[in-house]
Amino acid sequence: MVNIPPPTIATEVPGNYLTAAVWNSNIYNGLTYNLNRPHFVARQATAQSFTSGSNTVVTWDNIDADSYGGYNGSVDATKYTIQAAGWYLISYTICWANNTTGNRAVYVQKNGSSLTGSWSSAAASSSYPTCNAVFRALCAVGDTLQVVAQQNSGGSLSTANPGVGGPWWSLIWDHA
């Protein structure tokens, strides 16, 4: 499907005829866009190791959906580039391997800066500490989004084994 921008509804007045052009701009394009909104879903198929005390961008190697082609894993497997401007509903879950030392934190950054409301943290646990968040962000075409994780266990620590409970990230266009 060709990426179409959010539709602009024309102003109509009494007496106008319903032409093919009016139908396409007011009804077909609006329905097509709203039934095929930009969305992206990624998971980790391979656990990723994180060094203690440093921020590390999360790598995504299993893409379940990318309706507008904003992900290019051969160029950068950590980044999604916005293809349609608007408000996005963004969510993630990062489940860490069991470790009883230190803390874990995750956030989403847009163009290199952390997004308000995207931070999540978890204390160390012997039962898969998990960081997750759901929030909205206003994005422009060309903005880049990345998930960043950090931990301070004192040594390297991996995300939980992929599969049920494995790390995932999603975003969907919400409204203009």
Side-chain angles (χ1 to χ4, degrees):
M1 179 183 151
V2 175
N3 295 351
I4 61 173
T8 302
I9 304 301
T11 303
E12 297 300 326
V13 295
N16 278 3
Y17 293 104
L18 182 57
T19 64
V22 170
W23 171 264
N24 283 335
S25 69
N26 285 0
I27 298 170
Y28 176 79
N29 288 348
L31 287 173
T32 301
Y33 186 82
N34 282 306
L35 293 172
N36 298 290
R37 296 181 294 170
H39 62 280
F40 172 72
V41 179
R43 292 179 291 121
Q44 279 190 342
T46 306
Q48 180 180 353
S49 182
F50 294 83
T51 303
S52 182
S54 65
N55 291 343
T56 304
V57 182
V58 179
T59 301
W60 306 102
D61 54 3
N62 194 343
I63 308 307
D64 294 330
D66 185 6
S67 64
Y68 271 48
Y71 175 83
N72 185 343
S74 62
V75 173
D76 188 341
T78 69
K79 189 179 292 184
Y80 181 85
T81 303
I82 298 296
Q83 303 297 305
W87 284 92
Y88 282 80
L89 181 63
I90 302 169
S91 56
Y92 67 80
T93 293
I94 304 294
C95 186
W96 298 87
N98 294 333
N99 182 294
T100 58
T101 307
N103 295 299
R104 323 289 177 255
V106 180
Y107 64 94
V108 175
Q109 63 182 14
K110 179 175 80 172
N111 302 327
S113 298
S114 64
L115 285 169
T116 301
S118 72
W119 276 87
S120 177
S121 61
S125 171
S126 61
S127 182
Y128 299 104
T130 301
C131 298
N132 51 25
V134 177
F135 62 98
R136 285 185 168 79
L138 179 60
C139 298
V141 172
D143 282 349
T144 59
L145 301 176
Q146 294 175 297
V147 178
V148 180
Q150 57 182 272
Q151 58 89 15
N152 64 354
S153 68
S156 291
L157 186 63
S158 295
T159 51
N161 289 330
V164 176
W168 61 269
W169 175 35
S170 72
L171 57 97
I172 187 166
W173 186 88
D174 193 30
H175 63 87

